[in-house]
Amino acid sequence: MIKYPAYLAGMTTAIFFSTPLFAQSSMISNPAISGVLEGYYQEGERPLSETEKGFGLGHTELAMSANIDDYFFGKLTTVIEQHDGDIEVGLEEAFIQTLALPAGFSLRAGRFLSDIGYLNNQHTHSDSFVQRPLAYRAFVGGHYFDDGLRINYVAPTDIYWLLGVEAFTGKSLRSEAHVHEGEALPDYKTVGAMTAYSKWGGDIGLSSSWQFGLSYLRNEAGTQMIHEEHAEHEGHEEHEAEIHEAGHDEHSGHSHNAAYTGKNTYIADAVFKWAPEGNYKYQNLTLSAEYFLQQDLFALEHDGHIEQTLSEQNRAWYVSGVYQFLPQWSAGVRYGQADVWQAHGDHLHQQEFKETDVMLAWHHSHFSTVRLQYSYQQGNQYADITDDHIVTLQYVMTLGAHGAHQF
């Protein structure tokens, strides 16, 4: 029978500063150490993406994890990436997780991946395609990780039911304001982002399983401010104004900052998995879809007060199907679309972007993947992006002990 891996977590810098008492534990003296090697060759430019034209180093990862004691588990994950020829090292995870809270509760603290949506809590090397769907790249910088606190609760029900809330700094989700002649940047709140989510799942006989989720992200600094008096833009009267644009280049998706922000983001996700008699080794099918709705994007500001929140909304979605037809071969297709508003000079204009991906992957083992992907992108008023064809050859290799992936 297909079973759900337990919602657990990972690791922290406490591993490196353990007391002599903790150091006597075999889990501390022998933590699980793993590495992920990722590289690619890409023909063409992919917008809002970490991959660049030509040869490149992908999301290369080094991780350590262990039980700190019988009450806590910890994980530390560093990431090495290449951008414009420079090697960049970042800290993606450094957190502790409780192991013994009663009544189905668990607590996580530190830096970690948010549990919103379906894909966000998974490491990108476990994806079935070269890059995250367009919705993730546009709204959460590919995958949203941050410093904060999480409380999860697994209900004692016949079906799987998870409830959770998170509080983060929200730094990578901020809409940056221009500095006007001595005027300081806005005073952002200490807790800049909060999330709430619920996920349900279960089995259908021995061969199938499903999961459905609803998520909410509140970004306290996500609304972009528009100053001063009247202007017009595509079917909407507005105030002539200087716009506090998002502080991230729309082409630069490499920084893990959101390219498009809003105060409120809603996500719905659905996943269906099938494998004969629940045995995923030889044959399986995964169907997934997510829908993002982002609101409160822009607001009119006068003398430091918000007078009106504009009605524009950002939307993005994708559908995906991946079929492992032989033990070492899988194929997949994915379609995604984003309809977003962008601040441009003294006005707003709408942009539409579509992306179709087809991939073929060879898995010699659970630890190695070589993937060939073709993407067709279509841009309508999306910066200077035109219709284009992109081909990417990617490898993903895992070294050492590596935990099971999420459902």
Side-chain angles (χ1 to χ4, degrees), residues 7-9 95-98 101-110 112-116 147-155 160-168 193-199:
Y7 270 78
L8 42 73
F95 65 87
I96 58 173
Q97 169 115 357
T98 60
L101 289 185
F105 284 93
S106 64
L107 181 68
R108 180 181 293 191
F112 53 89
L113 296 164
S114 173
D115 214 355
I116 57 173
D147 301 337
L149 181 69
R150 170 193 295 169
I151 300 175
N152 271 356
Y153 170 68
V154 179
Y160 172 75
W161 185 12
L162 172 73
L163 295 165
V165 293
E166 299 168 325
F168 293 112
M194 292 165 285
T195 75
Y197 47 84
S198 182
K199 301 184 181 185

Side-chain angles (χ1 to χ4, degrees), residues 135-212:
Y136 277 89
R137 283 149 43 203
F139 294 163
V140 294
H143 57 304
Y144 176 45
F145 59 90
D146 204 345
D147 301 337
L149 181 69
R150 170 193 295 169
I151 300 175
N152 271 356
Y153 170 68
V154 179
T157 53
D158 291 337
I159 66 169
Y160 172 75
W161 185 12
L162 172 73
L163 295 165
V165 293
E166 299 168 325
F168 293 112
T169 67
K171 291 180 179 179
S172 64
L173 300 179
R174 290 175 178 173
S175 170
E176 292 186 4
H178 295 300
V179 179
H180 300 284
E181 300 180 4
E183 179 183 348
L185 289 169
D187 183 17
Y188 294 112
K189 296 182 179 180
T190 302
V191 178
M194 292 165 285
T195 75
Y197 47 84
S198 182
K199 301 184 181 185
W200 303 265
D203 293 333
I204 306 173
L206 294 177
S207 300
S208 303
S209 60
W210 60 273
Q211 181 175 287
F212 175 73

Side-chain angles (χ1 to χ4, degrees), residues 12-27:
T12 186
T13 52
I15 291 174
F16 295 104
F17 302 103
S18 303
T19 64
L21 177 61
F22 290 158
Q24 295 174 7
S25 166
S26 61
M27 289 296 294

Side-chain angles (χ1 to χ4, degrees), residues 262-316:
K263 189 170 186 177
N264 298 295
T265 301
Y266 306 89
I267 308 171
D269 63 88
V271 185
F272 173 81
K273 293 192 175 185
W274 170 86
E277 301 299 317
N279 185 351
Y280 272 76
K281 181 177 181 180
Y282 300 104
Q283 188 181 17
N284 63 77
L285 171 69
T286 299
L287 304 175
S288 60
E290 294 191 67
Y291 178 83
F292 288 63
L293 175 64
Q294 198 173 69
Q295 296 179 328
D296 300 318
L297 315 179
F298 306 98
L300 300 180
E301 184 182 30
H302 182 69
D303 292 335
H305 300 286
I306 296 177
E307 294 190 340
Q308 179 186 352
T309 300
L310 306 185
S311 60
E312 284 78 12
Q313 297 178 336
N314 289 338
R315 293 181 174 86

Side-chain angles (χ1 to χ4, degrees), residues 10-11 15-16 26-35 61-67 73-77 399-403:
M11 154 163 257
I15 291 174
F16 295 104
S26 61
M27 289 296 294
I28 296 303
S29 60
N30 296 289
I33 301 175
S34 67
E61 173 186 301
L62 179 62
M64 299 178 63
S65 62
N67 284 357
F73 174 81
K75 186 175 183 181
L76 176 69
T77 304
L399 311 174
H402 199 79

